[in-house]
Amino acid sequence: MATQATGARSATLVRDTNETKIQLSINLDGGALAPLPNAAAAASDSSEHAAQNSASQQISINTGIGFLDHMLHALAKHAGWSLAIHATGDLHIDDHHTAEDTCIALGTAFKQALRTTTGLARWGYAYCPLDEALSRAVVDLSNRPYCVAELGLKREKIGDLSCEMIPHCFESFAQHAGVTLHVDCIRGFNDHHRAESAFKATAVALRMACATVKGREGEVPSTKGVLF
């Protein structure tokens, strides 16, 4: 279930299954966030891994998977979003359901918040380094969900997040956001650096794609005349 504040590129969402329970609030332009539906329960959890408040952004992420929190924090920070996520899941089994469902919820809320591509750049691309690692991301707000994520990760896990789940997180987000996403780590030997540079590149590409284009207000960036 998702709701949206009038006039803002924002949404709140609750996704509740037998495997995970997720609350999410997003504002694609930063600034104020609508409170989570069960804000008291989220605030009472002292195990929060990723939180940062500034004049332009509010970020608070707690999925129970520290490295996932770190990556989603980087994604929100460099995309310019305000983002709050509180997720609980069956981590006694493994990290799969929690990581997957969190990224499904994020993609769903992103699409709900974006509302339309009218007047937007539509495409975005970025190269982002992190020390020896360099990643490239290309985004199309196409309403044709597709993802290719080639990160070349070698380790079994980074922290508590399985490396096999990292490309799957990109896939889950793209599928439910309705975007085409290509993200590749071009070089690097440290898997933490490779993964983080990929999330940062994706963030910057999304920020570019979602930007409004002066003089193209009311125009759909497609020869078909429709995307969303």
Side-chain angles (χ1 to χ4, degrees):
M1 178 181 68
T3 59
Q4 187 174 56
T6 303
R9 296 202 301 182
S10 62
T12 59
L13 178 147
V14 175
R15 190 176 193 274
D16 194 346
T17 74
N18 289 335
E19 297 169 342
T20 59
K21 301 184 186 306
I22 298 167
Q23 302 175 61
L24 189 151
S25 181
I26 189 170
N27 187 331
L28 300 182
D29 300 306
L33 271 178
L36 296 176
N38 191 359
S44 68
D45 191 335
S46 61
S47 63
E48 185 172 81
H49 287 285
Q52 184 178 17
N53 291 322
S54 67
S56 62
Q57 289 176 279
Q58 300 175 24
I59 301 171
S60 176
I61 300 167
N62 182 5
T63 67
I65 306 171
F67 190 70
L68 179 61
D69 294 352
H70 182 41
M71 294 300 96
L72 295 180
H73 181 189
L75 181 70
K77 181 64 180 178
H78 298 292
W81 302 342
S82 286
L83 178 66
I85 301 174
H86 185 264
T88 57
D90 52 6
L91 294 176
H92 62 285
I93 296 175
D94 68 6
D95 59 341
H96 186 104
H97 296 144
T98 301
E100 178 182 62
D101 288 4
T102 297
C103 292
I104 287 172
L106 181 58
T108 302
F110 171 89
K111 186 171 185 177
Q112 177 76 14
L114 191 65
R115 292 183 289 174
T116 180
T117 56
T118 299
L120 302 187
R122 176 179 168 179
W123 287 282
Y125 60 90
Y127 288 81
C128 282
L130 180 54
D131 295 346
E132 89 298 343
L134 176 66
S135 290
R136 173 188 61 222
V138 183
V139 170
D140 180 5
L141 305 180
S142 59
N143 204 28
R144 293 191 301 277
Y146 202 88
C147 179
V148 178
E150 299 287 350
L151 306 185
L153 303 175
K154 302 284 196 298
R155 291 166 57 177
E156 180 182 355
K157 286 187 171 185
I158 306 175
D160 292 327
L161 182 62
S162 304
C163 282
E164 68 178 6
M165 285 306 300
I166 296 175
H168 189 57
C169 285
F170 284 113
E171 292 162 2
S172 298
F173 170 79
Q175 182 69 32
H176 292 269
V179 305
T180 301
L181 169 63
H182 290 256
V183 56
D184 301 274
C185 186
I186 298 168
R187 64 174 63 95
F189 54 80
N190 182 295
D191 277 356
H192 184 132
H193 293 171
R194 292 177 72 95
E196 188 169 346
S197 68
F199 274 91
K200 288 178 174 177
T202 300
V204 177
L206 283 167
R207 189 170 191 166
M208 180 186 295
C210 294
T212 56
V213 179
K214 187 176 181 180
R216 295 187 182 177
E217 297 84 357
E219 295 184 13
V220 177
S222 171
T223 55
K224 293 189 297 294
V226 63
L227 285 171
F228 277 77

